[in-house]
Amino acid sequence: MSARMSALATLRSQIERIETAEVVHHQGRIALGHSEVDRALKGGLARAAIHEVFCAGSQGAAATGFVTGLAGRVTAQRPLLWVRQDFSERETGALSMSGLAELGLDPRLMVMVRATDVESALRTSADALACDALGAVVLELWGETRQFDLVASRKLTLAAQSSGVTGLLLRMAAQPLPSTAETRWMLRAAHSPPGSAWDAWGAPRFDVELLRNRHGPCGRWIMEWKCDECQFSEPSAYPQPVAAAPAYRPDPAVFQRAG
Amino acid sequence: MIHALDEAAERLGLHIGQPLANARAMCPDLKVFDADVVADAKTLSDIADWCDRFTPLVALDPPHGLFLDITGCAHLFGGEAALLRTLVLALGRQGFAVSAAIAGTSVCARTLTRQATGIIVADGEEAAAIDRFPVSALGADETITTGLRRAGLKTIGDVASRAPSEITARFGARFSTLLAHALGQGDAPISPRKPLPDYIVEKRFAEPIATDTMIAMTLSRLADTLIASMEKQGKGARRLEAAFFRTDGVVRAIMVETGRPVTQSKVIDRLFRERLDALADPLDPGFGFDVVRLSASRTEIVVQEQRDLDAHVHDNDELAALIDRIAARIGGKRVVVHLPQDTHIPEQAVLAVPAQHHLAVAMQAEWPARVESEPPLRPLRLFDKPEPVTVPFATVPDGPPHQFTWRRAKHAVVRVEGPERIAMEWWRQDGKQLTRDYFRIEDAEGLRFWIFRDGLYEGEVFDADGKSAPPRWYVHGLFA
């Protein structure tokens, strides 16, 4: 009896140690700029962890924009390593440095790795995550992959925890699966704010759903990326403020035109 | 035609260049194989690879000769005679018929091999050594050889006894130069297959090694030695090559490049480990390797940087090391940084260059500044090749479409901004492309596209009859 009790106690203390070890590493959090999201994330996006961003096949550009935004927040003038498969370039186009600069990020700090297959992409990212000279590592995968399982995900998390580098996973045309990620997001493109102007639209807007959050609640928000300030914000009614126009209702002007 | 023949056939009186029918008439049970020039060249180059173990300076002498510059190498193999014996024996065991000779000049050595094997001629005795040989041994053109024979000059000694001016007048300057080289007066330079590495270290094994651990250990020891010898001269390696000589003659060379000079053996060690791990066709030791060689083929003088409290210098070093490691595994062209180009054409505005060589330049590059308080003007994802879309109609001829079909899906246009007209560069050779009108478009789902009309409306696009045709539409990129 006492032997069992002591075994239990040992296990408990081990678990405790593991948990506290994780907490120690989660010292840095970067506020994204959207107050509700930051509240849900307990102050911001955790550094030294893995964050997954999922999207449907057709929403690749929106998810890329969101990941770019997250990377822009966490890198803080440090280099960004972007690992991608050759295949995804054909599906959603190559990441354009001009577009990156337009979003307010610095293309000089971007190193791109073009991996041929998932294995080498995973291995490269695990390697890169262990290098603390980097600000963030983005791993872009297209479609469902057998190779990215719990073990691979755990490897990435451990590498990120030991070095303090943030890992961002961009999973296009894939279904969320169990993993060791700190947060998991589902991305869709959001409409520009409804207004009378048919020929005006503003900053990138994302319909963001937080599917999993290890240290807080989940939720769904509309986030806007401010290119000039290089941060997210609540959706504004840019460009012309229109009073109380709810999101998701089709623009009446469009219907008149189309009809 | 007979392309090549063995000794037995030669004894029967057959010769190269003879029609096959004639040869068959002389010897009905002749065994014939099709000539394969490519395979011959490949074999010769494989033998040259194997010969790398004797000297780094190996030159091809097609169709079936090799020059080895053994200056300063012979003592490593127990002298010239021992080296020659080892080489001939080893090649003989592999089933090759070898004729080898050592002489002060390459042409003289080649002349010697045409008549006999195993001759070593000391410096200054070339003329005496080839005196008695027939003129055909010089390897000049058929017409010259015949001409010499007709003139009654049967041996090289006969030709050499004539005044050089007479020979030049009759047979041309090229032949007299060849003769002079064969007699040891001056030498034609050989052109080695590979440039001479700056530093070479190697390890020979009496008992061949085959296990991965032994190979790794050998490499790291060689790396220590290499670094030690480079350090004395303040050099660091930019390109390293490891060559594995298998006992059965196969040689495998593996190359690793770095972005900045390497001065630590553990870095070399790690790079090679990455490279060996990622090989598509792994290193096959077979019966084992008996020589492992590590050479630095490109080196640079290392400038010892003053380390200050600024962490940036250190960070850049670490980033360069990471890039080297990734490049060693998946290839240097797959790790890129980007340089802005001075052009308005979207697909040419950015150039991707290997990060190993251009990291420092890319970090300092001047990118065009973005316009403040404007939404993004360029898409985040750009298609390499614009993808065609079908546009059923446009209400205004010059205006944007109201709906379009891309990848079999219909998109209703909700918001449009544009056009942004981009004219092609007529001053360039390949600049005769159509003017593009770009529109930024948002569809009913909120997806944003960058689409363009290829060609001005009525004015640039013509069909086969010369009438103006409706221009085509393309999706070029996707906005976030």
Side-chain angles (χ1 to χ4, degrees):
Chain A
M1 186 68 188
S2 69
R4 246 176 88 188
M5 288 304 283
S6 73
L8 267 179
T10 327
L11 281 175
R12 277 213 188 95
S13 71
Q14 273 178 6
I15 289 168
E16 212 166 85
R17 213 177 313 130
I18 292 166
E19 276 177 350
T20 49
E22 218 163 283
V23 169
V24 168
H25 281 294
H26 284 167
Q27 72 290 67
R29 284 181 182 274
I30 302 286
L32 296 180
H34 188 288
S35 57
E36 280 177 47
V37 175
D38 283 339
R39 210 173 307 133
L41 292 173
K42 301 267 167 12
L45 198 72
R47 272 189 175 154
I50 302 291
H51 305 277
E52 291 179 323
V53 176
F54 285 84
C55 73
S58 60
Q59 306 273 6
T64 311
F66 183 67
V67 167
T68 313
L70 294 183
R73 292 299 298 158
V74 298
T75 49
Q77 292 306 306
R78 290 179 145 228
L80 167 66
L81 193 87
W82 193 294
V83 185
R84 66 154 176 70
Q85 267 175 288
D86 283 344
F87 184 64
S88 73
E89 187 169 294
R90 231 164 297 147
E91 283 293 338
T92 35
L95 187 73
S96 156
M97 291 304 124
S98 320
L100 199 78
E102 290 285 343
L103 287 181
L105 274 79
D106 191 349
R108 286 177 294 193
L109 297 174
M110 163 76 96
V111 178
M112 175 83 84
V113 178
R114 303 166 172 168
T116 39
D117 48 21
V118 182
E119 279 100 352
S120 70
L122 279 172
R123 199 159 159 197
T124 307
S125 353
D127 241 22
L129 276 171
C131 172
D132 58 9
L134 294 175
V137 175
V138 178
L139 172 58
E140 177 184 324
L141 297 175
W142 174 273
E144 304 288 352
T145 49
R146 212 165 21 82
Q147 291 91 336
F148 189 70
D149 51 8
L150 261 174
V151 178
S153 152
R154 182 87 195 138
K155 251 186 217 167
L156 293 186
T157 305
L158 285 176
Q161 280 176 359
S162 65
S163 68
V165 180
T166 315
L168 300 166
L169 254 76
L170 173 54
R171 301 288 311 272
M172 292 182 287
Q175 284 299 315
L177 285 172
S179 71
T180 58
E182 173 75 21
T183 60
R184 188 176 304 136
W185 309 76
M186 177 57 95
L187 251 283
R188 295 170 196 89
H191 295 269
S192 290
S196 54
W198 134 278
D199 59 349
W201 46 281
R205 287 161 69 99
F206 311 104
D207 174 358
V208 177
E209 193 180 351
L210 183 54
L211 296 175
R212 178 195 150 89
N213 183 4
R214 273 164 79 100
H215 298 98
C218 300
R220 186 169 176 169
W221 306 273
I222 301 283
M223 289 170 87
E224 193 171 302
W225 175 253
K226 296 277 183 203
C227 305
D228 296 330
E229 291 97 56
C230 196
Q231 66 169 27
F232 290 97
S233 75
E234 283 81 7
S236 64
Y238 180 87
Q240 277 94 14
V242 176
Y248 295 119
R249 190 185 295 170
D251 184 354
V254 179
F255 269 67
Q256 283 164 19
R257 227 169 256 273
Chain B
M1 290 272 276
I2 293 180
H3 182 78
L5 38 76
D6 66 355
E7 272 178 36
E10 207 164 353
R11 255 180 270 127
L12 286 170
L14 307 184
H15 58 90
I16 292 170
Q18 196 175 28
L20 185 60
N22 293 7
R24 278 249 163 82
M26 288 167 72
C27 174
D29 52 350
L30 193 69
K31 272 197 191 128
V32 183
F33 306 94
D34 288 340
D36 187 345
V37 184
V38 179
D40 284 352
K42 168 86 173 52
T43 310
L44 187 67
S45 132
D46 283 349
I47 297 175
D49 276 344
W50 177 81
C51 286
D52 273 345
R53 64 172 63 208
F54 296 106
T55 164
L57 291 172
V58 178
L60 295 177
D61 179 28
H64 37 239
L66 288 176
F67 288 127
L68 273 66
D69 187 343
I70 55 162
T71 314
C73 302
H75 70 276
L76 298 172
F77 301 89
E80 289 178 349
L83 191 154
L84 197 65
R85 208 164 43 241
T86 319
L87 194 149
V88 171
L89 266 178
L91 281 175
R93 266 206 300 274
Q94 303 256 8
F96 295 108
V98 197
S99 170
I102 297 179
T105 72
S106 55
V107 180
C108 179
R110 185 171 61 186
T111 311
L112 287 167
T113 59
R114 291 222 171 88
Q115 281 303 310
T117 182
I119 303 175
I120 300 174
V121 175
D123 252 354
E125 290 170 17
E126 288 90 354
I130 59 171
D131 220 17
R132 301 164 286 104
F133 289 170
V135 284
S136 61
L138 278 173
D141 288 343
E142 192 63 34
T143 48
I144 294 179
T145 314
T146 324
L148 285 168
R149 224 180 291 126
R150 288 213 180 119
L153 304 171
K154 294 231 170 61
T155 64
I156 296 176
D158 292 344
V159 187
S161 63
R162 299 278 158 172
S165 57
E166 287 175 30
I167 301 291
T168 310
R170 176 77 174 77
F171 300 103
R174 272 181 62 189
F175 176 70
S176 60
T177 320
L178 181 78
L179 183 67
H181 289 164
L183 295 171
Q185 301 152 4
D187 194 8
I190 63 169
S191 49
R193 299 186 314 143
K194 297 170 196 160
L196 192 62
D198 298 350
Y199 296 88
I200 303 177
V201 289
E202 63 181 26
K203 181 116 186 89
R204 280 158 199 281
F205 300 94
E207 193 69 24
I209 57 163
T211 58
D212 287 350
T213 42
M214 270 307 280
I215 293 169
M217 230 164 76
T218 311
L219 268 183
S220 66
R221 256 191 232 143
L222 286 176
D224 285 340
T225 326
L226 186 74
I227 289 294
S229 60
M230 285 197 302
E231 209 171 30
K232 276 183 214 144
Q233 297 171 14
K235 296 272 186 82
R238 287 288 305 277
R239 192 192 292 139
L240 291 151
E241 197 186 272
F244 301 90
F245 294 77
R246 229 161 74 173
T247 38
D248 59 355
V250 179
V251 181
R252 181 78 187 269
I254 285 161
M255 190 138 76
V256 164
E257 271 192 285
T258 65
R260 39 182 79 191
V262 179
T263 51
Q264 283 171 307
S265 57
K266 66 168 193 279
V267 177
I268 297 183
D269 205 24
R270 179 147 185 205
L271 286 176
F272 272 108
R273 221 172 326 130
E274 298 275 1
R275 187 88 189 82
L276 289 173
D277 271 0
L279 284 179
D281 48 337
L283 207 60
D284 174 20
F287 295 109
F289 301 111
D290 58 351
V291 180
V292 177
R293 172 184 293 170
L294 186 66
S295 50
S297 46
R298 207 164 88 217
T299 53
E300 260 175 28
I301 293 175
V302 183
V303 184
Q304 293 295 338
E305 277 171 47
Q306 176 88 38
R307 300 279 160 173
D308 49 12
L309 293 171
D310 183 13
H312 266 298
V313 181
H314 179 63
D315 274 3
N316 275 348
D317 276 358
E318 251 183 66
L319 178 62
L322 174 71
I323 289 171
D324 283 343
R325 283 204 300 276
I326 299 174
R329 179 141 24 84
I330 66 172
K333 282 184 192 146
R334 295 191 161 271
V335 189
V336 293
V337 285
H338 303 86
L339 295 174
Q341 299 294 301
D342 192 14
T343 172
H344 287 293
I345 301 173
E347 61 266 34
Q348 295 168 5
V350 177
L351 188 70
V353 288
Q356 277 187 309
H357 307 296
H358 298 92
L359 186 65
V361 184
M363 288 263 182
Q364 305 295 327
E366 285 280 330
W367 286 80
R370 72 172 238 100
V371 186
E372 289 276 318
S373 71
E374 274 279 322
L377 298 176
R378 291 283 175 271
L380 187 57
R381 307 211 66 130
L382 194 73
F383 288 106
D384 227 14
K385 267 192 190 149
E387 302 204 348
V389 294
T390 43
V391 173
F393 64 90
T395 37
V396 191
D398 241 352
H402 277 235
Q403 66 172 36
F404 62 93
T405 313
W406 176 53
R407 289 182 177 174
R408 292 192 223 151
K410 246 184 210 157
H411 299 274
V413 177
V414 176
R415 281 188 177 75
V416 177
E417 189 146 296
E420 179 188 351
R421 180 161 293 178
I422 297 182
M424 294 296 132
E425 299 168 337
W426 51 264
W427 59 91
R428 294 247 165 104
Q429 198 82 92
D430 53 350
K432 286 181 200 119
Q433 288 173 336
L434 302 173
T435 309
R436 298 173 185 173
D437 275 352
Y438 279 92
F439 294 91
R440 287 182 284 147
I441 282 181
E442 186 176 309
D443 80 349
E445 285 175 62
L447 302 175
R448 283 100 180 253
F449 300 90
W450 205 36
I451 78 170
F452 70 88
R453 194 187 56 232
D454 200 19
L456 298 174
Y457 199 82
E458 292 197 341
E460 274 197 344
V461 191
F462 301 101
D463 57 14
D465 306 331
K467 285 184 204 149
S468 71
R472 271 191 287 244
W473 290 84
Y474 295 90
V475 166
H476 202 169
L478 305 169
F479 286 94

